[in-house]
């Protein structure tokens, strides 16, 4: 019976202890140690002392701010955080919930909503806020509410892509080519000014041709309250209904990137086959939007901006001068709008017929919208009017048929009045279909089937007729189909696409390709890959241009591969190559091969090299074809960003995506977000390729810091608006790491856990361990530090010279 009484008494004692402050019995410690342990912060469970704390803020485990100054103040018997109205707006509360919360002395009062809890994690310096999901307007873990988006700082940007090549045939004229393209711009608040430029120079034995242009200049800013982007100036007409063209004017367009990931659109992919070390150029309405070097064989471009719409022209320029040109459709798949949601586009301006800055005389106005009428049904339509000569209207419906896929259908009517007085009215019909087969993981997309009557003219086609009455073709029918299918038993992925275009007054063209990729093990070689591709391009009344490609790739280790390639088109080639990427910064490859119908059986040697650095990427390539030609090429791409805080060259940014400038107190060679972005001589680094409106975590690579360098607050998580130049100063210090032994004025050593702080109180540089031992990192001679435990403080001063002193270094604390 006594045992049960003891058990009950013990449980009661535990409950009492858990509900009150914890008292530590110091008698269990040796008498000499009772005054050497600072336990003042351990007495209360989850107690936060009043004061200011610089903390990260997370709502429902989703970090919304990497660093905010929050004040804890005494409220009755408790200490509570003072949440400013500005910070509370970032919680993503529904409007009616937020408006009902009162304010008290500049702090939002949450007492009426006790379900909203605040917990400070001192170890992680993070304020964790728990809010019932029914009270928040956003729920996606990969998204932050618009109130948290950062417009960045004012600054200047320059993105550049430089190409140089030379071609030396055995017979015929030599040629040298230089070209560059890119973007330059200014940021001020939420406004961004951008200009796209392109330059080229081609020299042969007897002539030199030079061209340069500012292809467009425009001003834009995000309007997060409307979920849209405002654009002014020279840009491209973007529409889900009407054909695209270049214009000068203004637009207000819903931006899907402001939505959570699951509601956003897609970016088109471009695939093809290169015969040599080729240059792939993607153009939209004559403007270069993408250019890159590719190795011989199949290539895939998947990093185009998702805002690109319409037909894209793709040029594959081989190093021997041959150019293969084809088109791809960037039409959107059947779009559905959430029930009750509206997406819209409003545009006005004047058409730019070419890359010059001149415009046509008539002003056009266009508007379109998509409305989520029901859960699985959307209505969409639009109007386009230009002067008194052109009218166009469209109406369509999109339907989610669940297991049958998604489909949309629309009709566009156009009325055209030409300069010669001729009037034509016609209709165009379009059908979109998309289906993913979950059972087989297949994706089928009929991206666009369109039939246009002979008398139908899109506005872009109407302008072409007005500018060039004889050379403009009228579209009759276009069909684009793509299919992807993995075959698990064979470790195979199958891709197929087809684009067929027919014209009322011109030849039809058809391009198609099918690719099958296999992966298997062969004896000691694991993950051997086999790729086969067949592509064809057919023009009426001309021969087909067929290509067959077979590639076998055998891995040696993790980053080296031996490849065999066979290509057959007008001729047949066989190539053996070696590729080495064991050094992530320096990759290279060499190849040798033969080709039929060429001098000396087309004996060829090729080599390529790529160097990745923190300030840009370098690519070199060279070829020798026996008794035929030699060629060489080089490319360099990168960016430059300057703000009032500092400036840095860095790796290339992508389109108008944000970039982040990081300052590390003038300390160089600190790796930020991987090993390729390191701070320059002045302590600045720029991290490019950050997604707009998407929360991004940027960290310092602590494992590869230079000796004697320490960085605090080494992780930040923010979301930036499109085109923003973010800025973040990371508290850093550089110096020596020393082992010291601290003694107080009475000859004793400070308690275990006492903290050594910099003279200005900004950074902790060490913590006292047993018997006064402390490890001080990143310190320099002559520096002074404060030692603090509980309410006690004293001061230490380092000798002027640290290198010649023995360690542990004895430091008196006064």
């Amino acid at each position: 019976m006594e045992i049960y009484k003891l058990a009950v008494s013990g449980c009661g004692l535990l409950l009492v202890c858990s509900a009150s402050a914890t008292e530590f019995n110091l008698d269990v410690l040796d008498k000499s140690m009772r005054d050497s342990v600072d336990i003042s912060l351990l007495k209360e469970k989850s107690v936060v002392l009043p004061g200011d704390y610089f903390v990260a803020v997370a709502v429902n485990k989703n970090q919304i701010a990497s660093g905010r100054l929050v004040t804890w103040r005494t409220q009755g018997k408790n200490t509570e955080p003072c949440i400013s109205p500005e910070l509370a707006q970032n919680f993503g509360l529904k409007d009616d919930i937020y408006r009902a919360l009162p304010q008290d002395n500049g702090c939002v009062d949450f007492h009426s909503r006790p379900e909203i809890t605040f917990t400070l994690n001192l170890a992680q310096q993070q304020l964790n806020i728990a809010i019932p999901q029914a009270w928040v307007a956003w729920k996606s873990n990969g998204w932050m509410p618009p109130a948290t988006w950062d417009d960045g700082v004012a600054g200047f940007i320059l993105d550049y892509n430089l190409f140089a090549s030379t071609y030396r045939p055995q017979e015929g004229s030599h040629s040298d080519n230089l070209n560059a393209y890119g973007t330059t711009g200014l940021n001020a608040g939420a406004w961004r000014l951008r200009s796209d430029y392109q330059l080229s120079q081609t020299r042969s034995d007897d002539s030199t041709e030079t061209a340069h242009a500012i292809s467009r200049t425009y001003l834009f800013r995000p309007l997060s309250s409307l979920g849209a982007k405002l654009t002014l100036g020279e840009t491209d007409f973007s529409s889900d209904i009407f054909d695209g063209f270049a214009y000068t004017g203004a637009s207000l367009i819903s931006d899907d990137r402001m939505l959570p990931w699951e509601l956003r659109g897609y970016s088109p992919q471009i695939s093809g086959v290169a015969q040599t070390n080729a240059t792939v150029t993607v153009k939209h309405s004559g403007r270069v939007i993408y250019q890159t070097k590719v190795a011989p064989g199949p290539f895939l471009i998947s990093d185009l901006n998702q805002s690109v719409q319409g037909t894209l022209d793709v040029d594959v320029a081989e190093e021997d001068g041959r150019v293969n040109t084809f088109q791809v459709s960037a039409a959107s798949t059947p779009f559905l709008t959430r029930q009750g949601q509206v997406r819209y586009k409003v545009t006005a301006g004047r058409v730019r017929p070419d890359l010059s800055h001149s415009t046509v005389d008539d002003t056009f106005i266009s508007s379109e919208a998509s409305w989520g009428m029901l859960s699985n049904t959307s209505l969409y339509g639009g109007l386009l009017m230009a002067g008194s000569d052109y009218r166009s209207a469209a109406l369509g419906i999109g339907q989610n048929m669940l297991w049958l896929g998604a489909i949309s259908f629309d009709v566009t009517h156009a009325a055209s009045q030409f300069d010669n007085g001729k009037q034509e009215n016609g209709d165009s019909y379009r059908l979109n279909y998309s289906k993913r087969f979950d059972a087989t993981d297949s994706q089928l997309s009929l991206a666009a089937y369109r039939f246009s009557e002979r008398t139908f003219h899109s506005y872009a086609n109407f302008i072409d007729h007005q500018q060039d009455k004889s050379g403009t073709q009228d579209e009759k029918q276009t069909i684009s189909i793509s299919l992807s299918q993995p075959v698990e038993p064979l470790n195979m992925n199958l891709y197929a696409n087809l684009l067929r275009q027919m014209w009322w007054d011109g030849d039809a063209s058809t391009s198609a390709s099918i690719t099958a990729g296999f992966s298997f093990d062969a004896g000691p070689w694991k993950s051997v890959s086999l790729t086969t591709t067949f592509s064809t391009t057919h023009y009426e009344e001309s021969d087909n241009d067929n290509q067959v490609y077979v590639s076998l790739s055998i891995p040696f280790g993790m980053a080296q591969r031996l490849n065999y390639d066979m290509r057959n088109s007008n001729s047949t080639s066989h190539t053996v190559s070696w590729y080495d990427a064991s050094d992530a910064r320096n990759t290279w490859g060499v190849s040798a091969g033969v080709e039929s119908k060429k001098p000396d059986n087309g004996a060829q040697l090729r080599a390529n090299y790529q160097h990745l650095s923190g300030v840009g990427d370098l690519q070199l390539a060279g070829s020798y074809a026996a008794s035929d030609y030699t060629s060489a090429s080089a490319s360099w791409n990168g960016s430059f960003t300057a703000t009032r805080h500092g400036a840095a060259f860095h790796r290339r940014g992508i389109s108008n995506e944000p970039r982040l400038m990081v300052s590390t107190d003038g300390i160089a060679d600190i790796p930020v977000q991987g090993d390729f972005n390191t701070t320059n001589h002045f302590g600045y680094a720029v991290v490019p390729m950050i997604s707009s409106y998407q929360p991004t975590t940027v960290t310092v690579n602590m494992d590869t810091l230079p000796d004697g360098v320490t960085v605090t607050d080494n992780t930040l998580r923010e979301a930036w608006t499109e085109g923003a130049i973010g800025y973040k100063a990371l508290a850093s210090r550089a110096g020596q790491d020393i082992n010291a032994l601290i003694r107080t004025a009475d000859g004793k050593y400070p308690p275990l856990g006492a903290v050594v702080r910099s003279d200005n109180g900004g950074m902790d540089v060490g913590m006292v361990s047993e018997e006064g031992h402390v490890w001080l990192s990143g310190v320099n001679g002559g520096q002074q530090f404060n030692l603090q435990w509980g309410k006690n403080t004293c001061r230490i001063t380092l000798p002027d010279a640290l290198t010649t002193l023995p360690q542990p270094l004895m430091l008196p604390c006064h």
Side-chain angles (χ1 to χ4, degrees):
M1 190 65 179
E2 293 298 325
I3 295 178
Y4 292 112
K5 290 181 180 180
L6 287 172
V8 172
S9 300
C11 292
L13 181 61
L14 289 174
L15 291 174
V16 172
C17 291
S18 65
S20 61
T22 301
E23 295 293 338
F24 293 92
N25 185 358
L26 298 185
D27 291 336
V28 302
L29 299 177
D30 185 85
K31 184 177 180 180
S32 63
M33 297 179 59
R34 294 175 188 175
D35 297 327
S36 302
V37 179
D38 182 14
I39 61 171
S40 60
L41 297 180
L42 304 176
K43 295 178 64 176
E44 301 286 344
K45 183 179 180 180
S46 302
V47 164
V48 181
L49 298 179
D52 296 334
Y53 295 82
F54 195 75
V55 296
V57 181
V59 174
N60 293 343
K61 299 182 179 180
N62 186 30
Q63 190 180 105
I64 64 171
S66 60
R68 289 292 183 94
L69 188 64
V70 179
T71 300
W72 264 255
R73 60 182 186 176
T74 301
Q75 294 288 98
K77 296 182 179 180
N78 302 318
T79 56
E80 298 177 353
C82 171
I83 304 299
S84 66
E86 177 189 4
L87 179 57
Q89 288 178 349
N90 296 345
F91 292 177
L93 290 166
K94 292 182 177 178
D95 289 340
D96 57 336
I97 300 293
Y98 176 75
R99 287 194 299 265
L101 295 173
Q103 296 186 22
D104 178 21
N105 294 326
C107 305
V108 178
D109 188 352
F110 288 91
H111 288 99
S112 61
R113 299 282 182 177
E115 297 86 352
I116 301 178
T117 61
F118 300 84
T119 305
L120 178 62
N121 187 325
L122 283 171
Q124 297 182 355
Q125 287 293 288
Q126 179 167 292
L127 174 60
N128 295 313
I129 304 167
I131 303 176
Q133 286 285 10
W135 296 352
V136 295
W138 51 277
K139 301 179 178 63
S140 176
N141 291 330
W143 187 68
M144 293 171 65
T148 66
W149 298 342
D150 191 344
D151 286 326
V153 298
F156 167 80
I157 69 166
L158 173 65
D159 300 334
Y160 54 90
N161 302 267
L162 311 176
F163 291 84
S165 64
T166 181
Y167 176 62
R168 295 290 186 267
Q170 291 288 339
E171 299 179 359
S173 62
H174 300 177
S175 65
D176 300 310
N177 179 264
L178 299 172
N179 68 79
Y181 78 99
T183 300
T184 184
L186 296 171
N187 282 18
W191 289 98
R192 292 87 167 88
L193 177 66
R194 297 290 186 267
S195 286
D196 295 341
Y197 63 89
Q198 54 194 65
L199 309 94
S200 66
Q201 183 183 78
T202 301
R203 288 189 292 182
S204 59
D205 292 342
D206 53 1
S207 66
T208 299
E209 296 181 3
T210 302
H212 54 83
I214 300 294
S215 56
R216 62 174 183 174
T217 299
Y218 59 98
L219 184 70
F220 74 93
R221 64 157 298 163
L223 299 173
S224 57
S225 59
L226 300 177
K229 181 173 75 171
L230 174 66
T231 305
L232 308 172
E234 300 170 333
T235 186
D236 295 328
F237 180 71
S238 176
S239 172
D240 293 316
I241 300 173
F242 304 110
D243 290 352
F245 50 84
Y247 76 98
T248 301
S251 68
L252 181 65
I253 299 177
S254 296
D255 193 339
D256 285 353
R257 294 173 301 171
M258 297 185 184
L259 299 173
W261 270 109
E262 57 269 21
L263 301 180
R264 297 186 186 183
Y266 86 115
S267 62
Q269 290 188 342
I270 297 175
S271 61
V273 178
Q275 302 288 335
T276 60
N277 291 315
T279 301
V280 179
T281 304
V282 183
K283 299 178 182 178
H284 184 246
S285 300
R287 178 175 59 89
V288 176
I289 63 173
Y290 189 94
Q291 191 174 52
T292 188
K293 295 286 289 188
V294 297
F299 60 84
L300 178 67
I301 297 172
S302 58
D303 56 346
L304 293 178
N305 190 291
Q306 65 179 9
S307 64
V308 175
Q309 297 286 331
T311 300
L312 305 180
D313 298 303
V314 183
D315 294 340
V316 182
E318 307 291 350
E319 60 188 359
D320 58 5
R322 291 175 295 166
V323 179
N324 179 30
T325 300
F326 61 93
Q327 293 181 322
V328 296
S329 174
S332 60
T333 54
F335 59 89
L336 292 169
T337 304
R338 277 191 159 190
Q339 185 174 1
Q341 196 176 67
V342 175
R343 300 181 189 178
Y344 58 89
K345 297 182 180 182
V346 180
T347 307
R350 293 187 174 185
V351 171
R352 298 170 60 207
D354 49 43
L355 289 181
S356 69
H357 301 284
S358 61
T359 61
V360 301
D361 294 334
D362 290 335
T363 299
F364 77 90
I365 298 176
S366 171
S367 63
E368 61 185 83
S370 173
W371 169 47
M373 181 178 65
L374 299 173
S375 177
N376 293 313
T377 305
S378 298
L379 291 179
Y380 61 94
L383 296 171
L384 194 158
M385 300 177 290
S388 59
D389 296 332
Y390 187 84
R391 299 287 186 273
S392 182
L395 183 63
I397 184 172
Q399 179 66 43
N400 181 2
M401 300 184 297
L402 303 178
W403 63 273
L404 289 176
I407 193 171
S408 68
F409 176 75
D410 55 70
V411 180
T412 304
H413 178 79
S416 307
Q417 174 75 47
F418 293 96
D419 290 343
N420 59 8
K422 182 180 180 181
Q423 295 184 2
E424 291 189 342
N425 298 327
D427 297 320
S428 179
Y429 308 89
R430 185 176 61 165
L431 177 70
N432 290 340
Y433 177 76
S434 180
K435 166 62 179 172
R436 181 177 182 84
F437 300 89
D438 293 332
T440 59
D441 200 24
S442 306
Q443 178 71 44
L444 171 65
S445 175
L446 175 58
Y449 172 79
R450 180 170 178 173
F451 176 81
S452 301
E453 295 178 347
R454 182 65 180 85
T455 53
F456 172 84
H457 301 280
S458 68
Y459 187 49
N461 178 261
F462 172 77
I463 293 296
D464 288 342
H465 274 289
Q466 297 285 64
Q467 298 292 317
D468 182 4
K469 297 180 175 58
S470 61
T472 301
Q473 294 182 326
D474 296 322
E475 181 183 3
K476 178 180 180 181
Q477 179 176 276
T478 299
I479 183 170
S480 175
I481 301 175
S482 63
L483 170 69
S484 64
Q485 173 64 63
V487 183
E488 295 293 342
L490 300 177
N491 287 329
M492 181 182 75
N493 288 296
L494 184 67
Y495 305 93
N497 60 73
L498 168 72
L499 175 66
R500 177 169 174 79
Q501 294 178 298
M502 299 179 64
W503 311 89
W504 284 104
D505 44 11
D507 294 336
S509 65
T510 304
S511 61
S513 69
I514 182 170
T515 299
F518 302 85
S519 179
F520 57 91
D521 297 336
W525 295 293
K526 308 297 182 183
S527 300
V528 176
S529 62
L530 175 65
T531 302
T532 60
T533 298
F534 172 77
S535 63
T536 182
T537 301
H538 172 71
Y539 296 94
E540 299 293 339
E541 300 181 359
S542 64
D543 295 334
N544 291 352
D545 180 10
N546 298 326
Q547 293 189 52
V548 177
Y549 174 84
V550 177
S551 175
L552 179 66
S553 181
I554 302 174
F556 288 82
M558 296 297 294
Q560 297 171 319
R561 303 188 75 91
L562 178 66
N563 299 333
Y564 163 76
D565 301 313
M566 187 279 290
R567 286 183 299 275
N568 177 270
S569 54
N570 294 326
S571 62
T572 301
S573 67
H574 303 271
T575 305
V576 176
S577 59
W578 174 260
Y579 176 76
D580 191 323
S582 52
D583 180 355
R585 289 181 176 268
N586 301 280
T587 60
W588 58 274
V590 293
S591 66
V594 295
E595 183 177 357
S596 64
K597 301 181 180 179
K598 292 284 187 177
D600 293 336
N601 293 320
Q604 299 173 347
L605 294 174
R606 294 191 178 98
N608 62 80
Y609 168 76
Q610 182 180 45
H611 173 68
L612 307 181
S613 72
V615 295
D617 298 341
L618 172 69
Q619 287 186 322
L620 302 174
S623 296
Y624 167 75
S627 303
D628 195 356
Y629 70 89
T630 58
S631 69
S633 65
S635 68
W636 174 268
N637 61 69
S639 297
F640 174 76
T641 301
T643 71
R644 65 180 178 87
H645 304 284
F649 286 93
H650 55 93
R651 301 189 72 194
R652 183 180 61 177
I654 295 181
S655 186
N656 279 321
E657 296 295 355
R659 61 197 67 193
L660 172 65
M661 176 175 286
V662 176
S663 172
T664 55
D665 295 332
I667 301 174
D669 299 325
I670 294 182
V672 182
Q673 198 70 357
D675 296 329
F676 292 106
N677 308 307
T678 57
T679 54
N680 60 18
H681 177 73
F682 304 100
Y684 295 98
V686 176
V687 180
M689 298 179 286
I690 293 176
S691 299
S692 303
Y693 314 106
Q694 174 71 13
T696 301
T697 300
V698 178
T699 60
V700 174
N701 190 344
M702 303 296 287
D703 295 333
T704 57
L705 285 177
D707 293 338
V709 173
T710 301
V711 179
T712 59
D713 299 328
N714 61 305
T715 301
L716 66 103
R717 189 173 188 265
E718 298 281 355
W720 290 273
T721 57
E722 182 182 2
I725 303 174
Y727 176 77
K728 176 67 175 180
L730 299 179
S732 309
R733 62 184 186 275
Q736 293 181 244
D737 296 338
I738 64 171
N739 180 18
L741 192 62
I742 299 178
R743 288 291 183 267
T744 57
D746 56 4
K748 298 181 180 180
Y749 48 83
L752 177 71
V755 178
V756 182
R757 289 194 171 96
S758 59
D759 192 38
N760 58 12
M763 296 178 63
D764 294 346
V765 297
M767 179 177 288
V768 176
S769 62
E770 294 180 355
E771 299 182 349
H773 286 279
V774 65
W775 180 264
L776 302 178
S777 59
V779 297
N780 294 286
Q783 284 186 303
Q784 294 183 332
F785 299 98
N786 294 319
L787 186 67
Q788 182 176 353
W789 67 98
K791 296 182 180 180
N792 303 308
T793 61
C794 61
R795 192 174 182 83
I796 61 176
T797 302
L798 299 181
D800 292 334
L802 299 178
T803 56
T804 59
L805 297 175
Q807 294 193 24
L809 176 66
M810 184 66 69
L811 294 175
C813 192
H814 302 287

